[in-house]
Amino acid sequence: QDEVIAGRKEDGQLIFSTVTRKQNLVTGKVSVRLRKFAVPFEPGPEQPDRLLLTSRGDQLFLACAGGTLLRYDLRNPEAPLLAETLDLCPGEATLTALELMFGDQSLVAGDSLGGATSWFRLPGQDPTLHPDGYRMVAAHRLEPQGTGVRAIGISPRGKTFATGDARGGVWLRHLTSE
């Protein structure tokens, strides 16, 4: 499997790269191939401050403190697609933490009011709104912890995670059972 890397350059350009390593079985020599792809990104009034990439490199998420999330479909690296724009923190809250859950199928967003919400992809109904055939939905809105979430720690084996708040409190959570 290829290694995947994503980032923003100083000029604001969003890039996605794959690194392929192949070993010659006779000589043992390893060859490395790096492929770079530009991802369509138009800076708006709010600059993204979080970037998440799935381990397979098929989805890229850019998020802004105000809660705006840009979801990119990278299944065809030659033609990356802005698949969806949504608001992770409707209302007064701002986005303070964002992590991918184990398995890369769910996102957990923490906000300035202590909220924690999980999001995952479902088949989309409208190809004009969801050109890759999927849409993100808020699957679980967990009990707020009273003060802003500052960190999210994900279990490496299951659906358990922890949220840490500004006062030093830590809540242990289970995604499925809330």
Side-chain angles (χ1 to χ4, degrees), residues 1 5-6 11 66 113 151:
Q1 176 177 331
I5 305 164
D11 65 3
L113 300 178

Side-chain angles (χ1 to χ4, degrees), residues 59-72:
Q59 298 285 303
L60 172 69
F61 303 93
L62 273 184
C64 304
T68 300
L69 178 81
L70 306 174
R71 182 177 63 82
Y72 289 90

